[in-house]
Amino acid sequence: MKELVVISGKGGTGKTSLVASFAALAKRAVLADCDVDAADLYLILKPHIQQREAFYGGKVAVIQPDQCTGCGLCMEKCRFGAITEHESPSDENQLVYSVDPIACEGCGVCYYICPEDAISLVETKAGEWFISETRYGPMVYAKLGIAAENSGKLVTVVRTNARRIANEQELDFIIVDGSPGTGCPVISSITGADLVLVVTEPTMSGHHDLTRVVDLTTHFKIPTLVCVNKWDINPSVCLAIQDWSEQHGVEVAGRIRYDNTVTKAQIAGKSIVEFGNGRISSEIKTLWRRIEEKLR
Amino acid sequence: MKVAITAKGNDLKSEVEPRFGRCQWFLLVDIDTNEVEVIDNTENVNRAGGAGIGATELIASKGAEALITGHCGPNAFTTLNAAGIKVFLGGQGRVEEMLEKLKKGELQAVEAPDVKGHW
Amino acid sequence: MSSESRIVMTIAVASGKGGTGKTTIATNLAAVFASRGCTTAYVDCDVEAPNGHIFLKPKIAQSWTSGVPTPKIDAEKCDGCGECGKICQFSAIVVIKGKVLTFPDLCHGCGGCSLVCPMHAIEEVEHEIGTVEVGLSGEIKYIAGRLRIGEAMSPPLIRAVKLEIPSDSIVLIDSPPGTSCPMIEAVRGADYVVLVTEPTPFGLNDLKLAVETVRELSRPFGVVINQCDIGDSQVEAYCRKEEIPILEQIPHDRSVAEDYSRGHLLVESSKDMRAYFNRLADKVLAANRESSTSKSASL
C-alpha cells in the first residue's frame, strides 16, 4: 500500500480537482481529505457517510462566575489576551472575568494560579470526522468546527483511519488531499508519506510558494514531484519553475493546460476525467501514470 | 528486563505498529518471566502534539527498560534516552517474532532517531 | 489635506479557500488608498505563504527574527520536582527520572513552567519561529511575517507582525486562508472584513465557513466575487439569502491573469481594474462608516 499526498503551498492551484481525477483513475484507493480547513473533495465525490465521530481537540479554560472574586490574577498572567474583565451584573463595583474561548490556547496557567479554584480546563469539540463510501472507494474526511484549533491533530486522525482502511481492505493506494501553507496541518499531512505531488501554477506567487513547500518536503526527506497547472497562463514562468525544479532535483511530472472544463466539471459535481475526454483529461491521465510508476 | 513493543493489537500475535507515539497498544513483556502487560495508549494517540514524549512517560512509569518499534523521531528519542530506555527500531512482523529476535541478540539498539518529528 | 487622508481603519482581507485573490485584493486596495493620499499600510499575515511582496516590491528597511519564549533550565537550581511538567499542556517540558527536558518546537510560550517553578530555576529564552519585515513600497508601509520552514505554529508570528501595525493608517491585512487559528489571529480586531470568493461550488462551500467564522468573531463584513463570470450564480444567491453585501464582482480577464502571473499590480496595468478597485474602496469605507454609526448608536 502506497500513500500519495497532494499539496500546493499556495491555495487555489487546482489541487482538489486533480485529487478527484486521481481518485477516478486509481481504482483500489482510499481517499483522505486532509484539507480540513477547506474540505471540498466531498463536493465531487459525494460520499455516503457510514461512520461519524466527534473530534475533541485541545482544552479551554472556563471561569465559574459564582466562585470568581475578581482578583484579576488570571488576566495578568494570560499571555494570549484571552481573559476579559467586565462589571458584575449584580454589583457595579465588582469586576468579574471571563475567558474568550477563541483566543484561549488551553495552556492552563489561569487554572493553575487561580487562588479560588474558580477556573477549570475543559475539552472542546473541535470538529467531526467521517468514514464514508464513494463511487471511487472509501473516503475519510473531516470538518473542523468554526474557529477551532488543532487541525494538525485532526489531519492525523484522518490519515490514521485511511491507512487502517487501506490495510483492512488491502487497497493499493491512499490518496491524500493535503492542506495549503507550510505549517502544522501540512506537516501532519506529509510526514511518513511515500510521495508528495506539489501542484503549482505559473505565477510569481505559485513559484515562490513552491520553493517553500519543496524546502519542507526536503526537510522531511519525502520524494517529491511537481505539476504545473494552468501552465499556459504564463509559459515563461512555467519554464522558470521547470528550471528551478531541475536545479533542485525535483521532477516536473506533468503540465496541465488552463481549461474552463475544470470549473464546469466542478459545477456538475464530477471529476475532470469523468466529465469529458478533452486534452486536459489526457494530460491528467499521463500525469497519473507517472505518479503510479513512481509509487511502485 | 521489561521490553515495550508498539502493537496494532493487544496480544503477542499482533503486528508491530511502526509508529511509536501514536500506537494504539504497548505490550510490555518481561523477557525473563514472559509476563505480559497490555498498555492502552489512547491518551497519546489523541494528543495534539508531543505524543512520543507522552508515550515515553507512560512506558517509563510502567518500568520499561527497552522499546521495540518501527520508527522514532527526535523528541521521542531524546526523552527515551533520558529515561534510560534502549531503543530498537525497524520492528516489523508479529510482536512475538520481534521478541524472539531480541532474545537471540539479533536486534541492535540505535543511537539516533531515524525520522524527523511529526512522524 | 482631504478628510479621507486621515482615515484610520483596519480591513482584513480573508477567504475560506486559498487562491481566490486575497493578496490581489489586499495589495491593489492598498495601492488605491495610497494613491488617494491616505496613510496606508499593507500587512502580510499569511506567514506560511507570504506573497504580497511580489506585487508591492517593497524596500525592506528592517527585519528581525521573532520567536516564542521557551524555558531554559538552570541545572544548579533545579531539584527535579516535576511541577513544570505538570502544568505544561503541550509536552514542551517534561521531567523524566529527575531530568528536565525541554522541546522548544512544542512550546506555546505561556510561561506556566517558569511561573510554577518553586526553585526559580527557569529562565525564558526566545525560540525563533520566523522573521518580521518592515519596509516601504512607494507611500505604502509594508509589514510582513515569514514562518521558518518546518515550524508548525504561526499564530505567535502573526501576533508579532500585528504589533507593528501603525495606529494612524488605513491598514490592509492579508489573512491566511481557512478558518482555523492562523486566520482567526489575523482577522481578530479588524474593523471590517472583506471575504474574497469565486463563483464555484468549492468557492461557495469555503465562503460559508468563512462567513460563519467572521460572524463568530462579530466582525462586519462583505464579499467580493472574483472571476465572477467563470462559474455559476450560487454564491450570489447565497449572499442575497443571507443578506450579505456583495461589494464588488470582478470579471475574469485573461490579460489580468497574465499581469498577476508576472507580479504586476492590476490597478497600475489596467484602467478597468483601477475602476473596480476604486469602487471597492468607496464601498468598504461606506460600510465602515455605517457599522461605526450603528455601533455608536447602540452604545
Side-chain angles (χ1 to χ4, degrees), chain B residues 47 50 53 57 75 79 82-83, chain C residues 91 94 97 99 101 103 105-106:
Chain B
R47 248 176 208 249
I53 299 164
E57 287 183 285
N75 286 351
T79 319
Chain C
S91 303
V94 291
K97 306 213 162 148
K99 276 175 273 187
L101 303 175
F103 300 99
D105 53 329
L106 299 177

Side-chain angles (χ1 to χ4, degrees), chain A residues 165-182:
Chain A
I165 292 168
N167 271 323
E168 281 169 10
Q169 304 189 10
E170 295 180 351
L171 297 173
D172 302 335
F173 300 110
I174 300 172
I175 304 176
V176 180
D177 190 352
S179 335
T182 59

Side-chain angles (χ1 to χ4, degrees), chain A residues 234-255:
Chain A
N234 192 330
S236 65
V237 178
C238 180
L239 270 180
I241 290 176
Q242 286 174 292
D243 287 347
W244 182 90
S245 303
E246 201 175 306
Q247 280 160 24
H248 289 79
V250 184
E251 178 190 330
V252 176
R255 295 198 313 188

Side-chain angles (χ1 to χ4, degrees), chain A:
Chain A
M1 176 257 296
K2 298 286 183 182
E3 186 179 25
L4 167 73
V5 184
V6 184
I7 58 174
S8 63
K10 179 184 183 303
T13 59
K15 173 175 63 69
T16 301
S17 294
L18 280 178
V19 169
S21 288
F22 294 160
L25 296 169
K27 308 181 175 83
R28 307 196 48 76
V30 181
L31 295 323
D33 192 349
C34 286
D35 193 353
V36 290
D37 261 347
D40 292 335
L41 191 58
Y42 83 99
L43 295 170
I44 303 297
L45 299 191
K46 305 189 182 73
H48 297 284
I49 295 176
Q50 297 184 317
Q51 191 186 332
R52 171 190 287 263
E53 302 279 345
F55 167 77
Y56 290 86
K59 294 173 179 170
V60 291
V62 177
I63 300 177
Q64 300 304 325
D66 49 334
Q67 281 168 269
C68 175
T69 58
C71 72
L73 194 59
C74 51
M75 189 162 101
E76 185 192 315
K77 296 295 181 193
C78 176
R79 292 192 177 170
F80 307 105
I83 296 182
T84 50
E85 180 181 67
H86 30 101
E87 265 174 27
S88 161
S90 52
D91 175 359
E92 61 179 36
N93 295 319
Q94 169 81 42
L95 287 172
V96 288
Y97 293 83
S98 62
V99 179
D100 172 1
I102 293 176
C104 177
E105 299 246 342
C107 71
V109 163
C110 57
Y111 158 76
Y112 200 93
I113 53 145
C114 176
E116 304 298 328
D117 287 337
I119 304 181
S120 46
L121 273 184
V122 295
E123 281 226 77
T124 51
K125 185 178 164 186
E128 274 188 310
W129 59 273
F130 313 92
I131 293 178
S132 66
E133 268 306 320
T134 74
R135 59 190 185 280
Y136 302 134
M139 168 169 167
V140 186
Y141 66 109
K143 280 186 185 163
L144 197 62
I146 292 310
E149 270 193 67
N150 265 335
S151 43
K153 183 174 147 191
L154 190 50
V155 164
T156 306
V157 171
V158 169
R159 277 184 76 203
T160 308
N161 280 282
R163 205 179 282 217
R164 182 178 56 75
I165 292 168
N167 271 323
E168 281 169 10
Q169 304 189 10
E170 295 180 351
L171 297 173
D172 302 335
F173 300 110
I174 300 172
I175 304 176
V176 180
D177 190 352
S179 335
T182 59
C184 174
V186 200
I187 294 175
S188 308
S189 311
I190 63 169
T191 42
D194 296 293
L195 184 66
V196 163
L197 175 73
V198 184
V199 181
T200 187
E201 57 178 33
T203 63
M204 301 288 279
S205 317
H207 190 177
H208 176 255
D209 292 343
L210 172 71
T211 63
R212 286 177 61 85
V213 219
V214 169
D215 275 354
L216 190 71
T217 58
T218 313
H219 180 88
F220 287 105
K221 300 195 178 100
I222 305 165
T224 305
L225 296 177
V226 169
C227 159
V228 187
N229 198 12
K230 312 174 210 170
W231 74 270
D232 48 343
I233 281 188
N234 192 330
S236 65
V237 178
C238 180
L239 270 180
I241 290 176
Q242 286 174 292
D243 287 347
W244 182 90
S245 303
E246 201 175 306
Q247 280 160 24
H248 289 79
V250 184
E251 178 190 330
V252 176
R255 295 198 313 188
I256 294 167
R257 71 190 58 222
Y258 177 84
D259 189 334
N260 195 234
T261 311
V262 175
T263 308
K264 285 183 190 146
Q266 199 189 104
I267 290 168
K270 290 187 169 158
S271 65
I272 303 161
V273 293
E274 197 183 14
F275 183 75
N277 256 331
R279 278 155 81 184
I280 185 167
S281 291
S282 50
E283 284 168 352
I284 295 172
K285 285 175 189 161
T286 311
L287 171 62
W288 174 250
R289 273 197 298 276
R290 181 68 196 117
I291 292 168
E292 257 190 323
E293 276 169 29
K294 194 84 182 171
L295 279 172
R296 286 197 194 280

Side-chain angles (χ1 to χ4, degrees), chain A residues 40 79 105 112 182-183 234, chain C residues 48 83 108 124 205-206 261:
Chain A
D40 292 335
R79 292 192 177 170
E105 299 246 342
Y112 200 93
T182 59
N234 192 330
Chain C
E48 293 181 41
E83 285 300 310
H108 288 221
E124 291 183 80
N205 187 47
D206 300 335
S261 74

Side-chain angles (χ1 to χ4, degrees), chain C:
Chain C
M1 228 185 205
S2 76
S3 67
E4 227 176 38
S5 64
R6 287 190 301 272
I7 294 173
V8 173
M9 174 185 185
T10 305
I11 305 158
V13 183
S15 69
K17 156 183 194 301
T20 54
K22 248 180 328 84
T23 301
T24 305
I25 303 287
T27 50
N28 284 287
L29 267 183
V32 162
F33 283 122
S35 71
R36 294 179 180 189
C38 303
T39 314
T40 308
Y42 165 85
V43 184
D44 201 340
C45 286
D46 191 359
V47 300
E48 293 181 41
N51 287 331
H53 67 96
I54 292 171
F55 304 95
L56 292 176
K57 305 173 182 68
K59 281 203 179 67
I60 302 299
Q62 252 185 310
S63 77
W64 60 92
T65 62
S66 175
V68 171
T70 57
K72 188 178 159 208
I73 315 300
D74 183 340
E76 298 278 296
K77 290 187 192 160
C78 174
D79 66 353
C81 72
E83 285 300 310
C84 52
K86 273 186 222 155
I87 190 174
C88 183
Q89 300 291 317
F90 313 109
S91 303
I93 185 162
V94 291
V95 183
I96 205 148
K97 306 213 162 148
K99 276 175 273 187
V100 185
L101 303 175
T102 59
F103 300 99
D105 53 329
L106 299 177
C107 180
H108 288 221
C110 72
C113 52
S114 65
L115 189 70
V116 300
C117 177
M119 308 306 287
H120 304 291
I122 301 179
E123 175 198 357
E124 291 183 80
V125 293
E126 196 123 290
H127 166 69
E128 184 195 329
I129 58 167
T131 49
V132 179
E133 295 174 341
V134 173
L136 269 183
S137 162
E139 297 295 312
I140 304 169
K141 180 158 190 190
Y142 169 90
I143 305 163
R146 183 177 295 266
L147 190 69
R148 204 165 78 156
I149 295 298
E151 284 297 332
M153 269 187 290
S154 58
L157 182 60
I158 297 173
R159 282 193 286 271
V161 169
K162 287 180 81 176
L163 281 180
E164 301 306 314
I165 292 179
S167 57
D168 62 346
S169 308
I170 290 195
V171 177
L172 275 307
I173 292 185
D174 196 343
S175 156
T179 55
S180 61
C181 4
M183 181 267 196
I184 285 159
E185 199 59 61
V187 170
R188 261 173 81 184
D191 297 311
Y192 194 80
V193 182
V194 175
L195 294 178
V196 186
T197 189
E198 286 168 358
T200 62
F202 290 0
L204 175 61
N205 187 47
D206 300 335
L207 173 66
K208 286 179 181 168
L209 295 172
V211 164
E212 280 182 64
T213 309
V214 178
R215 283 186 174 153
E216 183 92 6
L217 294 165
S218 318
R219 298 293 102 195
F221 67 98
V223 167
V224 170
I225 306 178
N226 200 10
Q227 307 199 60
C228 61
D229 47 356
I230 63 161
D232 57 14
S233 58
Q234 297 295 313
V235 167
E236 227 186 308
Y238 164 78
C239 289
R240 266 204 307 274
K241 185 171 145 275
E242 293 283 321
E243 297 180 4
I244 298 166
I246 296 175
L247 302 167
E248 194 55 75
Q249 304 211 37
I250 303 175
H252 172 72
D253 179 336
R254 177 91 186 203
S255 68
V256 164
E258 282 165 15
D259 278 337
Y260 167 85
S261 74
R262 293 192 190 97
H264 294 167
L265 277 177
L266 307 183
V267 291
E268 281 173 7
S269 55
S270 150
K271 213 191 253 172
D272 287 350
M273 285 295 143
R274 200 151 56 234
Y276 282 114
F277 279 96
N278 263 311
R279 227 166 34 218
L280 176 58
D282 289 339
K283 287 207 183 151
V284 169
L285 291 179
N288 184 52
R289 270 195 301 274
E290 223 169 84
S291 72
S292 52
T293 1
S294 68
K295 240 187 287 170
S296 50
S298 69
L299 277 178

